[in-house]
Amino acid sequence: MRLYVYVLEARDLQGTESKGNLYAKLQVGKYKSNTRVVSKALNPVWNEEFVFRVHDIDEELVVSIFNQRDDHGFFHASADLLGGVRVPVWSVVGEDKQTLPPTWFSLEKPKTGKFTTKDSGKILLTLSLHGENTKDSACPVEQSQDIVNSASPFQKKSEGKQLVKAIANRLERLFNKNEEGLTSDSRSEVCSNSDYEDCMDEPFPSCSFEEAIELMQSKDGEQEVLDNLQGGILLDRSYVVSPINLNTLLFAPNSQFQRDLAELQGTTDLQEGCWTWKSVKISCLTRTLTYTKAATKLVKAVKAIEEQTYLKAEGREFAVLTNVGTPDVPYGNCFKIELLYKIMPGPELSSGEESTHLVVSWNISFFQNTMMRSMIEGAARQGLRESFEQFADLLSQNLKEVNSAELLGKENMLATLQMDHKSDLELAIEFFCNFTVVSTIFMICYILLHILLSGPSKLQGLEFDGLDLPDTFGELITSGILVLQVERVFNEVSHFFQARLQRGSDHGVKGQGDGWVLTVALIEGNNLASVDSTGFSDPYVVFTCNGKSKTSSVKLQTRDPQWHEILEFDAMEDPPSVLDVEVFDFDGPFDPAASLGHAEINFLRHTSAELADMWVSLNGKLAQASQSRLHVRIFLENNKGVETIKEYLSKMEKEVGKKLILRSPYRNSMFQKLFGLPPEEFLIDDFSCYLKRKMLLQGRLFISARIVGFYANLFGHKTKFFFLWEDIEDIQEIPPSLASVGSPSLVIVLHKGRGMDARYGAKSQDDEGRLRFHFLSFGSFSVASRTIMALWRSRTLTTEQKGQRAEDWEDQDDRSILVEDDERFSGFEGATMSKVYSAEHPFNIKSLMRLFDGDTLEHSVMGKSGCLNYATTPWEAVKPEFYERDISYKFNRHVSIFGGEVTSTQQKFPIADGNGWMVDEIMTFHEVPFGDHFHVHLRYQIETRVLGTDSCHCEVYMGIAWLKGTKFRQRIGRNITEKFTRRLKEIFELVEREILLANAQDSLA
């Protein structure tokens, strides 16, 4: 058996006239141990834990208190015994779950080697007995040492009242309010005081998870803002639920959500430890989970050990740090994974319901260097992203996500900021009500009154008429003090009026024009740094976006300013990517302002809900030392809708030199979901290419109005990253070489310190700290290079350069530089089309066109022909009489042994004579061998050959557009032609059978 002894504190010790150096000595049988020495204390607090092996319950625990003398030597050889107590081990056995709650024991004065009954003070102890002869507990010590009993996380109301009463009694004793009532009946109390919680390691049955969280809230107080981990963000969403309920759902013992997640991810042998107090720098709750992770394509099923620790619990904000170790995987002893769950209040909802913002970030820590470091990081990143995609899906099934329709509108949220701003007179009264001004006014009034009451004085010394000099040193000193006071008051008045004039033009001024309108509501600041000797500052904020700046008013003599101001930028043609924020200390219109901190808000890293109400932590030495923050609300709107995007693409066409087509909403939404982008982001173009790192990685390069992104999926191992156009410092074209496999390369160099979230995709980092990305083997290098270079230049031009550029294009309007398409897909000219199907069908065109309408006939036919998860988008008009839609599905194993996913885009338009339809389709294959080397093009021509007959004729042409060369080109082309010839015949036979059957049933009815 093992006896756990918690030595908490001692009080009312006798024999110490002054503060002494006190320690406790413990002994069970032949085993002895000492606490640390608490110097200069009358009521020492130790908060220490000891474990003794017990062979017989008849043994005793002997605790003695010693006062170490100043002339002591090593091992406390010179010390006075103040008192002691003996506690039989068998007395603990009789307690509930063999755990004795915090109990005060009276110390006995030593006499002739034995303890007498004389009271010598008291000591607070907690005892717990564990081992093979003890009763079963709900939470074994070997598994976890918790303050929460996981077998019964929710207690009855009566037990909760008992706990609150015990906590109140305990707090009274700590503050010496009720010392007389400290008797043995305190055995029934729950150990809950913050002075010794950090040493507890045992479950106490009368404390539930919710109560333990409340205890942590009561003792933690206000903590610093926790930054996200460096590995990146895995989950960033808001849900319609209170923060404390979300915290309970995710981390409560025996959570149903954890069991559902384990089942979804194939996790087995899940064992949840109990929550316990752990002392590191501060007392915090911690627990350990063990489970077996499901096998993947690359790694077998392995055992994982996960330690969860509460770093923060402040009522509505929680932070849980998780350390995950997998020692059984290759190199598993070299690293550990860190996850940080941040639960914070979410945005305000129009319904009035409470919302919560959940952010999960990650990092990987290496204990030792290894050559496999980059591979381990990539595998961990991929595994975590897939795992948290499942986590997010399951959480969305349990909780309702916050969407833009539920948020308070911009007008309503800004209306909450409308408050009565103080008038200049009120501000002046508040600012000038200080000792300097009041004392100066008093002195001036006093002197004026003295002058009025005094008669004319005689001329003395060097005085003459009109010149009255001080007659004594006292008068001279008084005059000097008055001059200094008047000078200080004058400076304050000057400073006040300069600050009020600074306020002027930006607050409340409406933005002009059509396009992207950015509105910033500056609410307040918190803990702003001070550079003045007064300990206060005169802060104002400058916001900069797309080369335009807006300035707030100056708030005088404060570190926690309240602005409640609305700053609106003029409409911008280019969608903004970042908002730069800098706080300055106002020193006057001609003096250089000192920076109090700065920050950058990336619109692509935050949802509209997050931007609508956020605290921004400031960077900089002064700001970080003070933990400065700004409270802002940001709204980015496109007041012309899709017309703004079309105008932007039209402008970019002149820069790029080719036609840019507005992508369908389905493709845009897939692009946004792939990179986690806000809904206003739109795709411009994408290219198949290779990313060059240590090894070549084939994928696709996506470019939009604000980002450059790369995505690859190699045997389930996904790689994706993006960076902003503004992050790019230079783009270089490298001619073909042996290292680039005979293909020209495009090297993108980022500014120093920029794009660090995408650093794992960079080939190298130069001496100046700039990341370099190498892309090669484009399908058409000239088109890709020209497009990327043109978009980058357009984003980096200044406002004056953009204006000059627009004038140059107006002068060249008579010269067409665009490569116009033939009203069909621009890619069709790269494929040689050949007829693969032709047939006459005994029904009209309208019936056959149902195959392209997305109704039940289409889904039924495609499902029977081997298409799984068949999905279509509605037809959308891209130009007059031209319609476009997107399709996605998977082949079953009978169609392709590789399975594989197919995405295609169809475009339909009427034939020139009006007697039929033409449907063009471009198909892209994913996760099949050489799928990135080609596209399959199909053209369906459906028309009525003989007018007035109830029949139609259908012809299908097919071609293969090769994106890159391969020695298997002939074999692949032959295989595709044979497969699609049989497949098209089968599809149209199914269509004919379904239509005729439906017509027969209609005739019978």
Side-chain angles (χ1 to χ4, degrees):
M1 294 182 291
R2 285 173 296 169
L3 178 66
Y4 288 75
V5 182
Y6 304 87
V7 183
L8 305 178
E9 59 179 304
R11 286 191 177 183
D12 304 331
L13 298 177
Q14 302 298 320
T16 55
E17 291 76 10
S18 60
K19 295 182 179 180
N21 302 321
L22 306 174
Y23 69 94
K25 181 176 181 180
L26 296 86
Q27 180 174 357
V28 177
K30 62 179 181 180
Y31 301 107
K32 300 179 182 180
S33 188
N34 295 339
T35 67
R36 71 181 186 278
V37 177
V38 178
S39 302
K40 298 180 180 179
L42 288 174
N43 299 314
V45 177
W46 289 289
N47 290 339
E48 294 189 36
E49 174 196 6
F50 302 89
V51 182
F52 297 95
R53 187 175 298 277
V54 177
H55 301 285
D56 190 350
I57 61 173
D58 292 331
E59 293 184 275
E60 289 184 328
L61 166 68
V62 180
V63 182
S64 305
I65 307 296
F66 289 88
N67 180 16
Q68 184 175 282
R69 298 176 184 172
D70 294 335
D71 57 348
H72 71 286
F74 291 110
F75 308 111
H76 314 304
S78 180
D80 296 326
L81 178 61
L82 303 181
V85 63
R86 294 178 182 271
V87 182
V89 176
W90 56 262
S91 64
V92 183
V93 178
E95 296 291 334
D96 184 23
K97 296 191 178 181
Q98 301 184 121
T99 298
L100 181 66
T103 304
W104 289 99
F105 290 90
S106 297
L107 298 176
E108 300 173 350
K109 192 69 175 179
K111 185 177 181 181
T112 64
K114 295 184 179 181
F115 293 119
T116 68
T117 59
K118 184 179 179 181
D119 187 11
S120 301
K122 51 196 172 187
I123 185 170
L124 185 61
L125 302 175
T126 295
L127 307 178
S128 183
L129 191 62
H130 294 271
E132 56 187 17
N133 293 333
T134 66
K135 302 176 184 178
D136 294 334
S137 76
C139 188
V141 169
E142 290 80 8
Q143 220 173 39
S144 63
Q145 297 81 26
D146 286 19
I147 192 171
V148 180
N149 185 344
S150 65
S152 57
F154 303 100
Q155 302 293 324
K156 297 179 180 179
K157 181 180 281 188
S158 61
E159 293 177 338
K161 292 181 179 179
Q162 210 172 27
L163 172 69
V164 173
K165 183 178 179 181
I167 294 173
N169 291 337
R170 179 73 185 116
L171 289 174
E172 286 179 354
R173 285 197 300 277
L174 282 178
F175 290 100
N176 297 322
K177 292 182 180 179
N178 193 19
E179 293 185 355
E180 295 79 16
L182 299 176
T183 59
S184 60
D185 61 354
S186 61
R187 290 171 178 262
S188 63
E189 297 174 3
V190 176
C191 182
S192 61
N193 187 270
S194 62
D195 286 341
Y196 57 85
E197 274 176 342
D198 55 355
C199 73
M200 286 198 257
D201 255 3
E202 286 303 316
F204 291 90
S206 59
C207 186
S208 69
F209 175 73
E210 290 80 2
E211 292 163 348
I213 292 295
E214 291 178 3
L215 292 177
M216 186 171 179
Q217 294 172 13
S218 65
K219 73 184 188 58
D220 280 351
E222 185 175 355
Q223 297 181 7
E224 62 181 25
V225 179
L226 298 174
D227 295 329
N228 294 323
L229 299 182
Q230 297 179 355
I233 304 297
L234 296 172
L235 181 66
D236 191 346
R237 298 188 184 181
S238 297
Y239 300 91
V240 184
V241 64
S242 66
I244 192 167
N245 287 340
L246 179 59
N247 175 68
T248 302
L249 175 69
L250 297 181
F251 299 108
N254 294 329
S255 167
Q256 182 62 40
F257 177 82
Q258 290 291 346
R259 293 198 293 269
D260 293 343
L261 181 63
E263 182 179 354
L264 177 64
Q265 297 179 342
T267 301
T268 58
D269 302 330
L270 174 63
Q271 295 183 1
E272 293 186 24
C274 306
W275 288 104
T276 180
W277 289 114
K278 180 179 179 181
S279 177
V280 188
K281 293 182 179 179
I282 60 172
S283 299
C284 53
L285 285 171
T286 183
R287 73 170 177 178
T288 302
L289 285 75
T290 60
Y291 49 86
T292 302
K293 299 184 66 175
T296 64
K297 296 179 181 179
L298 301 177
V299 181
K300 65 178 183 179
V302 295
K303 183 178 180 180
I305 302 173
E306 184 173 317
E307 181 179 320
Q308 298 176 345
T309 303
Y310 271 92
L311 300 182
K312 185 177 185 180
E314 294 183 0
R316 300 188 66 206
E317 293 190 21
F318 303 89
V320 179
L321 179 66
T322 298
N323 292 311
V324 184
T326 50
D328 295 337
V329 302
Y331 300 94
N333 293 321
C334 298
F335 67 93
K336 70 174 180 180
I337 303 295
E338 296 176 345
L339 299 171
L340 179 61
Y341 297 79
K342 294 168 62 177
I343 301 174
M344 302 163 286
E348 297 181 23
L349 304 182
S350 57
S351 63
E353 295 180 281
E354 197 170 4
S355 68
T356 300
H357 182 202
L358 174 63
V359 178
V360 183
S361 56
W362 78 286
N363 191 30
I364 183 169
S365 299
F366 284 89
F367 307 131
Q368 60 189 56
N369 292 327
T370 171
M371 297 176 61
M372 306 298 291
R373 178 169 183 150
S374 59
M375 184 175 293
I376 293 172
E377 287 181 342
R381 182 183 302 107
Q382 176 61 28
L384 287 171
R385 286 181 175 173
E386 293 179 354
S387 176
F388 274 89
E389 285 177 2
Q390 297 174 322
F391 179 94
D393 292 340
L394 181 60
L395 196 57
S396 298
Q397 295 174 17
N398 288 269
L399 301 173
K400 182 181 178 182
E401 278 195 65
V402 175
N403 54 52
S404 57
E406 296 173 319
L407 297 176
L408 285 175
K410 172 184 173 182
E411 292 77 14
N412 291 333
M413 295 197 69
L414 294 181
T416 62
L417 301 179
Q418 299 301 328
M419 56 177 293
D420 295 333
H421 287 81
K422 295 180 180 179
S423 65
D424 289 344
L425 178 60
E426 292 174 325
L427 291 172
I429 293 174
E430 182 179 337
F431 180 69
F432 292 123
C433 283
N434 56 62
F435 177 78
T436 301
V437 176
V438 173
S439 62
T440 303
I441 295 175
F442 174 78
M443 291 178 64
I444 293 175
C445 293
Y446 187 87
I447 293 174
L448 290 176
L449 181 61
H450 170 73
I451 293 173
L452 293 175
L453 296 176
S454 302
S457 60
K458 298 179 181 180
L459 296 178
Q460 300 181 23
L462 301 179
E463 295 178 344
F464 53 85
D465 289 337
L467 178 63
D468 189 7
L469 298 176
D471 297 333
T472 64
F473 284 104
E475 292 181 0
L476 179 63
I477 294 174
T478 302
S479 301
I481 293 175
L482 182 61
V483 169
L484 293 176
Q485 288 287 88
V486 171
E487 181 183 10
R488 290 185 61 182
V489 171
F490 174 80
N491 291 335
E492 288 189 14
V493 172
S494 175
H495 188 77
F496 175 80
F497 283 103
Q498 289 172 356
R500 296 307 295 162
L501 292 174
Q502 176 77 12
R503 180 184 189 278
S505 59
D506 290 339
H507 169 58
V509 178
K510 293 292 184 180
Q512 304 296 322
D514 295 325
W516 298 92
V517 178
L518 176 64
T519 304
V520 180
L522 176 61
I523 302 174
E524 60 183 322
N526 179 248
N527 292 333
L528 298 186
S530 173
V531 294
D532 296 337
S533 58
T534 60
F536 297 99
S537 57
D538 304 319
Y540 68 95
V541 186
V542 177
F543 297 93
T544 305
C545 184
N546 279 11
K548 301 176 182 179
S549 296
K550 294 290 180 179
T551 306
S552 75
S553 63
V554 179
K555 296 300 177 182
L556 298 172
Q557 295 298 294
T558 179
R559 294 190 61 192
D560 300 308
Q562 299 287 327
W563 277 285
H564 295 274
E565 297 180 359
I566 300 174
L567 309 174
E568 192 168 301
F569 287 78
D570 290 337
M572 295 169 272
E573 295 181 357
D574 297 340
S577 303
V578 295
L579 175 67
D580 293 315
V581 183
E582 189 156 13
V583 183
F584 293 96
D585 181 36
F586 180 76
D587 285 331
F590 306 110
D591 296 328
S595 176
L596 302 180
H598 59 88
E600 180 183 273
I601 302 173
N602 190 330
F603 298 140
L604 295 161
R605 298 291 185 186
H606 301 279
T607 64
S608 58
E610 296 163 3
L611 291 172
D613 192 4
M614 67 186 307
W615 281 92
V616 181
S617 298
L618 299 179
N619 299 319
K621 292 182 179 180
L622 291 175
Q624 290 176 338
S626 303
Q627 298 182 12
S628 303
R629 297 188 301 167
L630 286 181
H631 188 191
V632 296
R633 290 178 177 175
I634 301 173
F635 304 91
L636 180 61
E637 295 180 322
N638 178 2
N639 59 14
K640 287 185 65 177
V642 70
E643 291 300 320
T644 301
I645 300 176
K646 290 181 178 180
E647 291 175 2
Y648 178 82
L649 292 177
S650 177
K651 182 182 70 172
M652 289 298 102
E653 285 174 350
K654 299 177 181 180
E655 297 282 351
V656 174
K658 76 165 189 175
K659 186 74 173 178
L660 297 177
I661 301 175
L662 178 63
R663 303 304 178 97
S664 67
Y666 173 77
R667 182 168 293 187
N668 271 326
S669 65
M670 294 298 292
F671 165 67
Q672 294 161 5
K673 184 177 180 181
L674 182 64
F675 292 101
L677 302 173
E680 67 267 15
E681 192 65 14
F682 56 93
L683 179 65
I684 294 179
D685 211 340
D686 60 290
F687 306 97
S688 175
C689 66
Y690 279 90
L691 172 68
K692 186 177 181 182
R693 295 185 294 184
K694 293 182 179 179
M695 298 177 61
L696 292 178
L697 180 62
Q698 194 275 331
R700 296 196 73 81
L701 188 67
F702 297 84
I703 58 175
S704 71
R706 296 185 285 185
I707 73 160
V708 178
F710 179 81
Y711 174 79
N713 187 345
L714 180 63
F715 302 114
H717 180 78
K718 298 178 182 178
T719 300
K720 61 180 177 182
F721 59 85
F722 71 87
F723 45 82
L724 303 176
W725 289 109
E726 287 84 355
D727 294 339
I728 300 176
E729 179 179 327
D730 189 22
I731 298 180
Q732 305 168 359
E733 294 183 4
I734 308 300
S737 64
L738 186 61
S740 61
V741 200
S743 170
S745 303
L746 202 63
V747 180
I748 298 179
V749 184
L750 305 188
H751 290 284
K752 180 180 179 180
R754 307 289 295 186
M756 299 309 293
D757 290 341
R759 62 183 179 276
Y760 57 86
K763 184 179 185 299
S764 61
Q765 187 172 6
D766 60 20
D767 296 336
E768 299 180 10
R770 301 178 303 178
L771 297 176
R772 302 174 67 89
F773 297 83
H774 291 240
F775 301 97
L776 62 152
S777 296
F778 289 91
S780 175
F781 180 82
S782 59
V783 173
S785 175
R786 184 173 67 249
T787 303
I788 293 172
M789 294 286 284
L791 289 172
W792 171 57
R793 290 195 184 100
S794 70
R795 294 291 296 190
T796 55
L797 292 177
T798 63
T799 305
E800 294 76 12
Q801 291 172 330
K802 289 180 180 179
Q804 182 62 41
R805 192 71 168 167
E807 294 177 2
D808 294 341
W809 287 123
E810 290 177 1
D811 296 338
Q812 299 177 10
D813 277 345
D814 57 331
R815 296 184 300 168
S816 176
I817 64 168
L818 303 181
V819 182
E820 298 288 350
D821 57 42
D822 61 346
E823 303 298 339
R824 302 182 181 90
F825 295 148
S826 59
F828 261 72
E829 66 271 8
T832 302
M833 310 296 289
S834 59
K835 186 187 296 185
V836 292
Y837 177 79
S838 179
E840 193 83 19
H841 296 284
F843 39 78
N844 56 31
I845 290 180
K846 183 178 180 181
S847 298
L848 185 56
M849 286 300 293
R850 289 180 58 196
L851 180 61
F852 305 98
D853 283 348
D855 61 5
T856 55
L857 174 65
E858 180 179 1
H859 284 267
S860 175
V861 169
M862 301 309 291
K864 292 178 180 179
S865 64
C867 297
L868 305 176
N869 303 327
Y870 190 80
T872 65
T873 61
W875 289 102
E876 295 185 359
V878 294
K879 57 187 71 176
E881 295 188 338
F882 275 75
Y883 305 90
E884 186 174 302
R885 71 170 182 171
D886 294 299
I887 301 173
S888 65
Y889 56 88
K890 289 185 178 181
F891 285 131
N892 63 22
R893 298 295 176 180
H894 298 290
V895 177
S896 172
I897 62 172
F898 302 103
E901 183 178 352
V902 180
T903 57
S904 65
T905 301
Q906 289 182 344
Q907 194 176 84
K908 70 175 182 179
F909 49 92
I911 297 176
D913 57 8
N915 292 328
W917 288 87
M918 191 83 74
V919 180
D920 288 342
E921 180 176 6
I922 297 180
M923 304 177 66
T924 304
F925 297 84
H926 308 279
E927 300 180 3
V928 298
F930 299 97
D932 59 307
H933 284 61
F934 62 90
H935 289 160
V936 174
H937 297 180
L938 296 175
R939 177 169 296 161
Y940 304 85
Q941 186 172 331
I942 304 171
E943 56 185 337
T944 301
R945 290 288 180 88
V946 181
L947 297 177
T949 62
D950 194 15
S951 64
C952 64
H953 184 80
C954 176
E955 293 182 349
V956 183
Y957 297 85
M958 190 191 78
I960 302 175
W962 292 94
L963 306 178
K964 58 184 72 174
T966 171
K967 63 180 180 179
F968 301 108
R969 176 171 176 169
Q970 185 175 0
R971 184 188 302 178
I972 293 173
R974 184 170 61 250
N975 179 266
I976 292 175
T977 302
E978 293 174 356
K979 283 281 186 181
F980 272 85
T981 301
R982 292 197 301 268
R983 178 171 173 75
L984 290 167
K985 183 178 179 181
E986 177 186 354
I987 288 175
F988 281 100
E989 288 177 352
L990 288 170
V991 171
E992 184 172 333
R993 189 183 309 153
E994 293 282 342
I995 294 177
L996 293 177
L997 180 61
N999 292 339
Q1001 291 175 348
D1002 292 340
S1003 62
L1004 291 175

